[in-house]
Amino acid sequence: MARTSYISVLRIVAIFLVILIHSSSGYLNSNDFESFDWSYANWLNSFSRFAVPLFVIISGALLLQKDESTGQFYRKRLLKIVPPFLFWTIVYLLYYFIRYIDFDYIGFPQVINIVLIRLKSGTNAHLWYLYMILGLYLAVPFIRKIVGNCSKRELEIFLGLWFAALFFTNKWFNSYLPNFDLTFFSGYAGYLVLGHYLRNYPIQMVKLSSFTFFLICCLITASGTSHLSVSRGEFDPTLYNYLSPNIALSGGFLFIFVQGLKLPEQLSAFWEFIDIHSFGIYLCHILLLNYIHPLLQLPTLWKIPVATVLTLLASALLTYLLRKVPYGKYVSG
C-alpha cells in the first residue's frame, strides 16, 4: 500500500462529510427532538463531526515530516492559502449582499459595519477554517522543531496532555474541573501532532477494533447530544465541538482504521479527481449547496445524501473549471 493512498482516502472522506454536515445541520434548529428529521440529522452529524479535525490530522501527517526553512515554508504554503482565502472571502461577501441585503433600506455606514462584522471570522460560516489553518501554518515551522526532537515516548506524553487539555478547555467539562492552565497543549495544534505521530508510528490494531472504537465514539456523540438537547429544551451542540474528546477520538480511530486497510497504490481517476480538488470543493460547496438543496423535492431520508453527492460533484466541476481560466489555479483552492 502506498503511504499516500490512505491519505487520499481520508481526504475524500473528510470533504464528503463536511458537505454532509452542512446538508443536514439546518434540521437541528427545529428542536423537535422526537421527529425523524431531527434524529436523522443528529445521527448524520454525529458520524461526521470529526471531518474538519481529520483535515488537520492529515496536514500534520504531511507537513511535519518535511525539512525546509521557515521562510521556504511560509512562501510555499501561504501562497497556496492566501489568494484563495482573499478570493472566496470577496465572493461570499458579494453573495451575502446580493442574496440577503436590500440596499433601499440600509446606508453606506451599515454596509461598512456588515463588512467588518463578516470579515471578523469569515464572510461565510465555513471560512472560519481558513482563519484557523492560517494560524496553524504560521506555527508549523516551530512545531516541526519540537516534534523533530521528540522521541516516540515524548510525543505520546504530549498527546496525552493535549487530550487532557480537551477536557480542561471545554466549557462544559471545565465547570467540573480545577483551573489548571493547559493552554500550551490545547487547540488544533494537537491534531497536527497526532497526524505526525500516527504516520510515523502506526498503531497496529485489528481493523475491527479500530472501527468499533470509532463507532462507539460517534454513538456517544449522537446519544449524548440527544440527551443534552432534551434536557436543555433546545439543541445543545456541546459534543459537536471540534475540540471535544469524543470528536478527537473519532477522527483518530478512523485514521487508524483507514491507515490499516489494504488499499491500491493509486486510486481510480474519479477519486483522484475528487482528492486533488478537495480544497476547492471545501471553499465553494456552500455556494452550490444553497441552491441545490432547496431544489430537491425528496423526503429528508434521501434529500440530505443526494444533496451532498450532487454538491460534491458540482463543486469539483466548478473547481476544475476555475483552474482552467487564466490565473484561476491561484484562487480556486
Side-chain angles (χ1 to χ4, degrees):
M1 179 187 72
R3 301 201 76 183
T4 54
S5 183
Y6 75 86
I7 293 291
S8 295
V9 170
L10 287 165
R11 194 183 289 116
I12 293 165
V13 168
I15 192 58
F16 176 82
L17 293 181
V18 163
I19 300 174
L20 185 64
I21 289 171
H22 294 143
S23 298
S24 59
S25 293
Y27 296 92
L28 296 168
N29 297 324
S30 70
N31 292 333
D32 184 4
F33 310 122
E34 301 300 323
S35 70
F36 171 80
D37 285 5
W38 193 94
S39 297
Y40 185 48
N42 176 41
W43 283 97
L44 291 177
N45 266 262
S46 298
F47 278 77
S48 307
R49 297 303 297 186
F50 58 86
V52 168
L54 189 56
F55 276 130
V56 185
I57 295 172
I58 292 169
S59 293
L62 297 175
L63 297 180
L64 297 188
Q65 308 286 110
K66 298 183 178 180
D67 182 20
E68 57 191 342
S69 70
T70 301
Q72 285 176 321
F73 176 79
Y74 284 166
R75 284 192 296 272
K76 183 186 298 183
R77 286 290 151 184
L78 294 184
L79 283 175
K80 289 184 178 180
I81 293 291
V82 173
F85 169 71
L86 296 175
F87 175 76
W88 287 105
T89 291
I90 294 170
V91 168
Y92 280 104
L93 189 60
L94 293 174
Y95 170 75
Y96 178 81
F97 278 113
I98 292 169
R99 183 163 186 177
Y100 299 110
I101 300 299
D102 188 339
F103 288 96
D104 292 333
Y105 295 96
I106 66 168
F108 183 73
Q110 287 81 12
V111 170
I112 296 300
N113 188 51
I114 291 171
V115 170
L116 293 176
I117 290 172
R118 299 196 70 79
L119 286 176
K120 186 170 179 62
S121 57
T123 52
N124 197 276
H126 73 302
L127 295 184
W128 74 271
Y129 178 79
L130 295 182
Y131 288 69
M132 179 270 288
I133 206 68
L134 278 169
L136 283 185
Y137 278 4
L138 292 175
V140 161
F142 308 100
I143 299 174
R144 276 179 180 170
K145 294 183 184 299
I146 294 173
V147 300
N149 288 284
C150 286
S151 65
K152 178 184 178 185
R153 183 59 177 164
E154 287 168 333
L155 288 173
E156 289 168 350
I157 293 171
F158 177 92
L159 289 171
L161 290 168
W162 169 70
F163 187 70
L166 296 179
F167 291 91
F168 282 89
T169 57
N170 184 291
K171 66 179 181 179
W172 189 80
F173 295 110
N174 180 258
S175 60
Y176 302 97
L177 297 170
N179 293 322
F180 294 127
D181 186 357
L182 295 178
T183 50
F184 177 80
F185 301 98
S186 63
Y188 289 91
Y191 284 121
L192 290 177
V193 179
L194 178 61
H196 172 79
Y197 177 85
L198 291 176
R199 177 162 185 174
N200 285 278
Y201 306 105
I203 297 175
Q204 302 301 320
M205 294 182 68
V206 176
K207 289 190 285 292
L208 181 60
S209 297
S210 57
F211 192 69
T212 299
F213 285 129
F214 162 74
L215 290 177
I216 290 171
C217 293
C218 293
L219 289 170
I220 290 171
T221 303
S223 58
T225 298
S226 179
H227 172 74
L228 291 173
S229 298
V230 170
S231 300
R232 186 175 173 181
E234 62 181 357
F235 173 53
D236 187 332
T238 299
L239 295 178
Y240 281 7
N241 190 310
Y242 294 133
L243 291 171
S244 289
N246 51 301
I247 299 301
L249 289 172
S250 298
F253 281 123
L254 187 71
F255 189 103
I256 293 168
F257 172 71
V258 175
Q259 188 180 35
L261 295 177
K262 293 182 179 180
L263 298 169
E265 292 189 3
Q266 187 171 357
L267 302 180
S268 67
F270 173 78
W271 295 117
E272 287 283 349
F273 184 82
I274 299 297
D275 181 31
I276 64 176
H277 292 91
S278 58
F279 184 41
I281 294 170
Y282 181 90
L283 293 172
C284 73
H285 78 274
I286 291 291
L287 199 63
L288 298 171
L289 179 63
N290 284 349
Y291 291 99
I292 290 173
H293 198 282
L295 289 175
L296 298 176
Q297 302 301 312
L298 296 169
T300 303
L301 176 66
W302 299 108
K303 185 172 185 175
I304 294 174
V306 171
T308 300
V309 171
L310 291 179
T311 301
L312 176 72
L313 298 176
S315 300
L317 179 60
L318 177 58
T319 303
Y320 171 79
L321 294 174
L322 278 174
R323 291 184 180 183
K324 292 298 182 182
V325 303
Y327 303 105
K329 65 180 181 180
Y330 299 109
V331 299
S332 62

